[in-house]
Amino acid sequence: MYISIVMSNKEPLPPSRFPDRPIEQAEGKWWIAKVKARQEKKLAFDFVAAGVEYYLPLYKKVYTRPGETTRKRIFTLPLFPGYIVFAQDTPQNIYRTGRVAQLIEVRNQSRFIKEISAIYSALEGGMAVMPLEEGFEIEDDVEVVSGLLRGIKGKIAEIRNSRYLMLEVEGLGKALVKVDIRSVKKLP
């Protein structure tokens, strides 16, 4: 069988990290810019042109249209849609681009640097990192939709590593069952 791959992003990609150095070596305090819809990459290019240090983690998403089996489209998308982080002691001229909706101050700089550095290292190391498409909260009612535990309903008791969920399963008391996050859906 022949499978064609179509690169869907025709636009050039900005660098994920500018300048290219570890997150810990940023010159300035980290801030989060909440951007207007689909403006993350454009703002990254604006930051490069202005010499503003930033990090925009990107990942590749493979998409096949329903019913199509031979053509795959590959998109390069922001890992955290709607956000880009940048380093400046005091934000200057950030709203001038017209792309930023809100600035969020990072209060715990050391924690933020540790967490964003882990993502940077994982992506730079070639690990597959993808956004968590469905947000889960503690106490959400969920159902396992695939695998050996299919059909089991429970509540989220704990979330670990953004990859696995611990379910509190009714009927078994307070036993915890570790399941792959991709096999769970949130109940209404």
Tab-separated table of all heavy atoms in Angstrom, residues 113-152:
chain	number	residue	atom	x	y	z
A	113	ILE	N	10.815	27.585	35.588
A	113	ILE	CA	12.023	27.251	34.827
A	113	ILE	C	12.255	25.742	34.841
A	113	ILE	O	12.565	25.143	33.816
A	113	ILE	CB	13.245	28.029	35.355
A	113	ILE	CG1	13.099	29.513	35.000
A	113	ILE	CG2	14.543	27.458	34.824
A	113	ILE	CD1	14.082	30.431	35.705
A	114	LYS	N	12.065	25.123	35.992
A	114	LYS	CA	12.247	23.670	36.098
A	114	LYS	C	11.251	22.934	35.202
A	114	LYS	O	11.614	22.013	34.474
A	114	LYS	CB	12.076	23.237	37.555
A	114	LYS	CG	12.284	21.767	37.788
A	114	LYS	CD	12.120	21.432	39.259
A	114	LYS	CE	12.259	19.938	39.469
A	114	LYS	NZ	12.035	19.562	40.860
A	115	GLU	N	9.986	23.340	35.230
A	115	GLU	CA	8.947	22.653	34.456
A	115	GLU	C	9.106	22.877	32.953
A	115	GLU	O	9.021	21.939	32.160
A	115	GLU	CB	7.560	23.102	34.926
A	115	GLU	CG	7.240	22.633	36.325
A	115	GLU	CD	5.967	23.218	36.906
A	115	GLU	OE1	5.369	24.128	36.300
A	115	GLU	OE2	5.566	22.763	37.987
A	116	ILE	N	9.355	24.110	32.541
A	116	ILE	CA	9.481	24.394	31.102
A	116	ILE	C	10.794	23.816	30.571
A	116	ILE	O	10.874	23.412	29.409
A	116	ILE	CB	9.315	25.906	30.799
A	116	ILE	CG1	8.846	26.132	29.370
A	116	ILE	CG2	10.555	26.693	31.073
A	116	ILE	CD1	7.419	25.839	29.123
A	117	SER	N	11.826	23.735	31.427
A	117	SER	CA	13.090	23.114	31.023
A	117	SER	C	12.911	21.625	30.752
A	117	SER	O	13.545	21.068	29.857
A	117	SER	CB	14.157	23.301	32.099
A	117	SER	OG	14.561	24.644	32.149
A	118	ALA	N	12.044	20.978	31.522
A	118	ALA	CA	11.778	19.552	31.307
A	118	ALA	C	11.139	19.342	29.934
A	118	ALA	O	11.501	18.410	29.203
A	118	ALA	CB	10.872	19.007	32.406
A	119	ILE	N	10.231	20.213	29.552
A	119	ILE	CA	9.594	20.115	28.236
A	119	ILE	C	10.612	20.401	27.145
A	119	ILE	O	10.695	19.687	26.143
A	119	ILE	CB	8.384	21.065	28.156
A	119	ILE	CG1	7.276	20.523	29.056
A	119	ILE	CG2	7.900	21.232	26.718
A	119	ILE	CD1	6.130	21.426	29.279
A	120	TYR	N	11.422	21.434	27.351
A	120	TYR	CA	12.470	21.777	26.387
A	120	TYR	C	13.419	20.595	26.178
A	120	TYR	O	13.714	20.213	25.047
A	120	TYR	CB	13.226	23.011	26.900
A	120	TYR	CG	14.407	23.420	26.063
A	120	TYR	CD1	14.234	24.109	24.871
A	120	TYR	CD2	15.704	23.127	26.475
A	120	TYR	CE1	15.325	24.493	24.105
A	120	TYR	CE2	16.791	23.513	25.717
A	120	TYR	CZ	16.601	24.198	24.531
A	120	TYR	OH	17.680	24.572	23.774
A	121	SER	N	13.866	19.990	27.274
A	121	SER	CA	14.791	18.855	27.188
A	121	SER	C	14.154	17.663	26.483
A	121	SER	O	14.792	17.001	25.668
A	121	SER	CB	15.246	18.429	28.584
A	121	SER	OG	15.982	19.463	29.181
A	122	ALA	N	12.902	17.385	26.793
A	122	ALA	CA	12.201	16.260	26.166
A	122	ALA	C	12.072	16.470	24.665
A	122	ALA	O	12.366	15.572	23.871
A	122	ALA	CB	10.827	16.070	26.800
A	123	LEU	N	11.657	17.656	24.256
A	123	LEU	CA	11.501	17.933	22.821
A	123	LEU	C	12.842	17.942	22.106
A	123	LEU	O	12.982	17.389	21.021
A	123	LEU	CB	10.769	19.258	22.605
A	123	LEU	CG	9.268	19.226	22.896
A	123	LEU	CD1	8.695	20.636	22.933
A	123	LEU	CD2	8.537	18.366	21.885
A	124	GLU	N	13.847	18.565	22.708
A	124	GLU	CA	15.177	18.603	22.102
A	124	GLU	C	15.795	17.214	22.016
A	124	GLU	O	16.573	16.926	21.117
A	124	GLU	CB	16.105	19.550	22.879
A	124	GLU	CG	15.752	21.011	22.733
A	124	GLU	CD	15.902	21.513	21.312
A	124	GLU	OE1	16.988	21.375	20.740
A	124	GLU	OE2	14.907	22.047	20.775
A	125	GLY	N	15.428	16.351	22.961
A	125	GLY	CA	15.934	14.985	22.978
A	125	GLY	C	15.182	14.048	22.041
A	125	GLY	O	15.460	12.862	22.003
A	126	GLY	N	14.208	14.581	21.302
A	126	GLY	CA	13.479	13.770	20.334
A	126	GLY	C	12.320	12.983	20.905
A	126	GLY	O	11.756	12.126	20.224
A	127	MET	N	11.944	13.239	22.143
A	127	MET	CA	10.817	12.523	22.732
A	127	MET	C	9.508	13.031	22.135
A	127	MET	O	9.393	14.202	21.773
A	127	MET	CB	10.789	12.709	24.250
A	127	MET	CG	11.971	12.086	24.954
A	127	MET	SD	11.895	12.312	26.731
A	127	MET	CE	10.641	11.111	27.135
A	128	ALA	N	8.528	12.146	22.029
A	128	ALA	CA	7.201	12.518	21.529
A	128	ALA	C	6.438	13.183	22.662
A	128	ALA	O	6.092	12.550	23.649
A	128	ALA	CB	6.453	11.293	21.033
A	129	VAL	N	6.206	14.466	22.533
A	129	VAL	CA	5.460	15.235	23.522
A	129	VAL	C	4.250	15.808	22.806
A	129	VAL	O	4.382	16.415	21.746
A	129	VAL	CB	6.316	16.373	24.126
A	129	VAL	CG1	5.526	17.174	25.148
A	129	VAL	CG2	7.584	15.824	24.750
A	130	MET	N	3.071	15.574	23.370
A	130	MET	CA	1.833	16.064	22.763
A	130	MET	C	0.978	16.715	23.836
A	130	MET	O	1.088	16.367	25.012
A	130	MET	CB	1.063	14.899	22.138
A	130	MET	CG	1.781	14.256	20.980
A	130	MET	SD	0.891	12.825	20.357
A	130	MET	CE	1.215	11.650	21.657
A	131	PRO	N	0.110	17.621	23.447
A	131	PRO	CA	-0.756	18.240	24.448
A	131	PRO	C	-1.789	17.244	24.958
A	131	PRO	O	-2.172	16.317	24.248
A	131	PRO	CB	-1.436	19.382	23.681
A	131	PRO	CG	-1.373	18.974	22.262
A	131	PRO	CD	-0.129	18.144	22.108
A	132	LEU	N	-2.214	17.446	26.156
A	132	LEU	CA	-3.292	16.665	26.723
A	132	LEU	C	-4.575	17.276	26.191
A	132	LEU	O	-4.907	18.415	26.516
A	132	LEU	CB	-3.242	16.726	28.249
A	132	LEU	CG	-4.276	15.939	29.016
A	132	LEU	CD1	-4.150	14.454	28.687
A	132	LEU	CD2	-4.091	16.154	30.503
A	133	GLU	N	-5.254	16.560	25.311
A	133	GLU	CA	-6.392	17.146	24.605
A	133	GLU	C	-7.626	17.288	25.470
A	133	GLU	O	-8.416	18.178	25.287
A	133	GLU	CB	-6.689	16.350	23.344
A	133	GLU	CG	-5.567	16.505	22.347
A	133	GLU	CD	-5.836	15.822	21.035
A	133	GLU	OE1	-6.953	15.321	20.820
A	133	GLU	OE2	-4.904	15.805	20.221
A	134	GLU	N	-7.827	16.380	26.386
A	134	GLU	CA	-8.979	16.505	27.270
A	134	GLU	C	-8.469	16.741	28.667
A	134	GLU	O	-7.681	15.959	29.190
A	134	GLU	CB	-9.843	15.247	27.228
A	134	GLU	CG	-11.069	15.371	28.085
A	134	GLU	CD	-12.066	14.253	27.850
A	134	GLU	OE1	-11.819	13.377	27.043
A	134	GLU	OE2	-13.108	14.282	28.504
A	135	GLY	N	-8.897	17.821	29.262
A	135	GLY	CA	-8.448	18.133	30.603
A	135	GLY	C	-9.231	17.338	31.627
A	135	GLY	O	-10.439	17.212	31.535
A	136	PHE	N	-8.534	16.763	32.569
A	136	PHE	CA	-9.168	16.023	33.646
A	136	PHE	C	-8.870	16.722	34.956
A	136	PHE	O	-7.789	17.264	35.146
A	136	PHE	CB	-8.613	14.593	33.714
A	136	PHE	CG	-8.978	13.740	32.537
A	136	PHE	CD1	-8.072	13.534	31.519
A	136	PHE	CD2	-10.222	13.135	32.456
A	136	PHE	CE1	-8.383	12.739	30.436
A	136	PHE	CE2	-10.546	12.340	31.373
A	136	PHE	CZ	-9.634	12.140	30.361
A	137	GLU	N	-9.818	16.681	35.854
A	137	GLU	CA	-9.657	17.255	37.174
A	137	GLU	C	-9.905	16.160	38.212
A	137	GLU	O	-10.609	15.186	37.939
A	137	GLU	CB	-10.667	18.396	37.400
A	137	GLU	CG	-10.558	19.537	36.407
A	137	GLU	CD	-9.304	20.360	36.571
A	137	GLU	OE1	-8.809	20.450	37.701
A	137	GLU	OE2	-8.822	20.906	35.567
A	138	ILE	N	-9.360	16.337	39.389
A	138	ILE	CA	-9.629	15.423	40.488
A	138	ILE	C	-11.145	15.414	40.724
A	138	ILE	O	-11.790	16.453	40.674
A	138	ILE	CB	-8.887	15.874	41.770
A	138	ILE	CG1	-7.380	15.996	41.515
A	138	ILE	CG2	-9.179	14.951	42.940
A	138	ILE	CD1	-6.680	14.710	41.158
A	139	GLU	N	-11.695	14.245	40.935
A	139	GLU	CA	-13.120	14.007	41.180
A	139	GLU	C	-13.972	13.967	39.910
A	139	GLU	O	-15.176	13.790	39.987
A	139	GLU	CB	-13.720	15.034	42.163
A	139	GLU	CG	-13.159	14.933	43.570
A	139	GLU	CD	-13.528	13.630	44.275
A	139	GLU	OE1	-14.692	13.212	44.200
A	139	GLU	OE2	-12.637	13.033	44.890
A	140	ASP	N	-13.385	14.136	38.712
A	140	ASP	CA	-14.156	13.981	37.477
A	140	ASP	C	-14.642	12.539	37.361
A	140	ASP	O	-13.910	11.606	37.679
A	140	ASP	CB	-13.301	14.296	36.241
A	140	ASP	CG	-13.193	15.770	35.947
A	140	ASP	OD1	-13.902	16.562	36.594
A	140	ASP	OD2	-12.394	16.129	35.063
A	141	ASP	N	-15.881	12.374	36.889
A	141	ASP	CA	-16.401	11.046	36.585
A	141	ASP	C	-15.891	10.650	35.209
A	141	ASP	O	-16.011	11.421	34.251
A	141	ASP	CB	-17.935	11.050	36.587
A	141	ASP	CG	-18.503	11.238	37.981
A	141	ASP	OD1	-18.016	10.573	38.904
A	141	ASP	OD2	-19.430	12.061	38.133
A	142	VAL	N	-15.304	9.453	35.101
A	142	VAL	CA	-14.720	8.992	33.850
A	142	VAL	C	-15.091	7.534	33.599
A	142	VAL	O	-15.549	6.827	34.497
A	142	VAL	CB	-13.179	9.139	33.841
A	142	VAL	CG1	-12.763	10.591	33.893
A	142	VAL	CG2	-12.551	8.366	34.983
A	143	GLU	N	-14.893	7.110	32.337
A	143	GLU	CA	-15.103	5.724	31.955
A	143	GLU	C	-13.932	5.274	31.100
A	143	GLU	O	-13.466	6.006	30.233
A	143	GLU	CB	-16.392	5.579	31.151
A	143	GLU	CG	-16.660	4.155	30.694
A	143	GLU	CD	-17.956	4.021	29.926
A	143	GLU	OE1	-18.662	5.033	29.725
A	143	GLU	OE2	-18.251	2.902	29.503
A	144	VAL	N	-13.453	4.059	31.351
A	144	VAL	CA	-12.391	3.480	30.535
A	144	VAL	C	-13.047	2.976	29.249
A	144	VAL	O	-14.012	2.213	29.298
A	144	VAL	CB	-11.672	2.327	31.279
A	144	VAL	CG1	-10.590	1.717	30.403
A	144	VAL	CG2	-11.081	2.831	32.592
A	145	VAL	N	-12.551	3.418	28.091
A	145	VAL	CA	-13.195	3.107	26.812
A	145	VAL	C	-12.433	2.087	25.978
A	145	VAL	O	-12.927	1.659	24.934
A	145	VAL	CB	-13.435	4.394	25.981
A	145	VAL	CG1	-14.456	5.282	26.666
A	145	VAL	CG2	-12.144	5.131	25.721
A	146	SER	N	-11.254	1.681	26.418
A	146	SER	CA	-10.523	0.652	25.676
A	146	SER	C	-9.608	-0.104	26.620
A	146	SER	O	-9.320	0.340	27.720
A	146	SER	CB	-9.721	1.276	24.531
A	146	SER	OG	-8.723	2.127	25.028
A	147	GLY	N	-9.166	-1.260	26.171
A	147	GLY	CA	-8.259	-2.070	26.970
A	147	GLY	C	-8.997	-3.038	27.877
A	147	GLY	O	-10.216	-3.197	27.801
A	148	LEU	N	-8.251	-3.676	28.753
A	148	LEU	CA	-8.811	-4.700	29.635
A	148	LEU	C	-9.876	-4.174	30.585
A	148	LEU	O	-10.757	-4.907	31.001
A	148	LEU	CB	-7.691	-5.342	30.454
A	148	LEU	CG	-6.681	-6.181	29.675
A	148	LEU	CD1	-5.533	-6.591	30.576
A	148	LEU	CD2	-7.364	-7.395	29.082
A	149	LEU	N	-9.776	-2.909	30.948
A	149	LEU	CA	-10.719	-2.326	31.912
A	149	LEU	C	-11.889	-1.611	31.253
A	149	LEU	O	-12.613	-0.870	31.916
A	149	LEU	CB	-9.974	-1.372	32.849
A	149	LEU	CG	-8.840	-1.994	33.660
A	149	LEU	CD1	-8.119	-0.925	34.460
A	149	LEU	CD2	-9.360	-3.086	34.560
A	150	ARG	N	-12.095	-1.840	29.977
A	150	ARG	CA	-13.159	-1.173	29.233
A	150	ARG	C	-14.503	-1.311	29.951
A	150	ARG	O	-14.881	-2.387	30.391
A	150	ARG	CB	-13.262	-1.780	27.841
A	150	ARG	CG	-14.261	-1.077	26.976
A	150	ARG	CD	-14.266	-1.664	25.605
A	150	ARG	NE	-15.181	-0.893	24.780
A	150	ARG	CZ	-15.461	-1.182	23.563
A	150	ARG	NH1	-14.899	-2.211	22.977
A	150	ARG	NH2	-16.293	-0.431	22.883
A	151	GLY	N	-15.191	-0.178	30.071
A	151	GLY	CA	-16.505	-0.164	30.697
A	151	GLY	C	-16.483	0.203	32.172
A	151	GLY	O	-17.517	0.531	32.741
A	152	ILE	N	-15.319	0.173	32.805
A	152	ILE	CA	-15.246	0.528	34.224
A	152	ILE	C	-15.398	2.037	34.372
A	152	ILE	O	-14.790	2.813	33.647
A	152	ILE	CB	-13.921	0.049	34.858
A	152	ILE	CG1	-13.943	-1.461	34.954
A	152	ILE	CG2	-13.687	0.706	36.202
A	152	ILE	CD1	-12.787	-2.059	35.698
